[in-house]
Amino acid sequence: MMNNWIDQLSNLRKGGKALADHNPAVVKAYRGLNEALGEGGALDSKTRELIALAVAVTTRCDGCISSHSAAARQAGATEQEVAEALGTAIALNAGAAYVYSARAMEAFGQFGENK
């Protein structure tokens, strides 16, 4: 086991409470963003959680992974659906590396142009 994700989520919630106690306005605004997602009608909660889980992987946020894994499970996502969503995250990260590699090549070339 790489991580105890249940403990991770519990610890995140404890840390979030400490933050809320000291900066309630920011935490309230953050929670408002998440609540607003449920007000749309085009995506169901399972689809939103699958997207959120894939984004959590691309942003490398362990707290987000634990939170959205639990929420995806609660929303009825299957292991196959999660695996396919994570495949999208893998492809996106590869795409970002490709785009930034092209940018790096361009930068490298520009530094050689005017010697």
Side-chain angles (χ1 to χ4, degrees):
M1 177 168 41
M2 288 186 276
N3 199 344
N4 185 324
W5 297 102
I6 295 169
D7 286 350
Q8 172 84 24
L9 183 55
S10 176
N11 292 335
L12 174 63
R13 289 178 175 155
K14 289 174 190 170
K17 183 183 177 326
L19 179 60
D21 289 344
H22 295 286
N23 199 341
V26 168
V27 173
K28 181 179 178 184
Y30 169 73
R31 288 182 179 152
L33 286 171
N34 288 311
E35 290 168 8
L37 293 175
E39 294 175 9
L43 298 176
D44 62 19
S45 61
K46 180 171 76 170
T47 301
R48 283 194 309 272
E49 291 305 330
L50 290 169
I51 292 168
L53 190 53
V55 171
V57 168
T58 65
T59 58
R60 296 173 181 89
C61 177
D62 282 348
C64 300
I65 290 170
S66 64
S67 177
H68 293 291
S69 290
R73 175 73 75 178
Q74 186 175 18
T78 66
E79 195 168 333
Q80 184 63 37
E81 289 169 326
V82 169
E84 288 185 24
L86 296 177
T88 301
I90 292 167
L92 183 66
N93 276 330
Y98 177 81
V99 170
Y100 272 81
S101 294
R103 292 168 66 114
M105 289 300 298
E106 179 182 69
F108 182 78
Q110 287 178 12
F111 282 102
E113 290 175 357
N114 297 320
K115 280 194 164 189

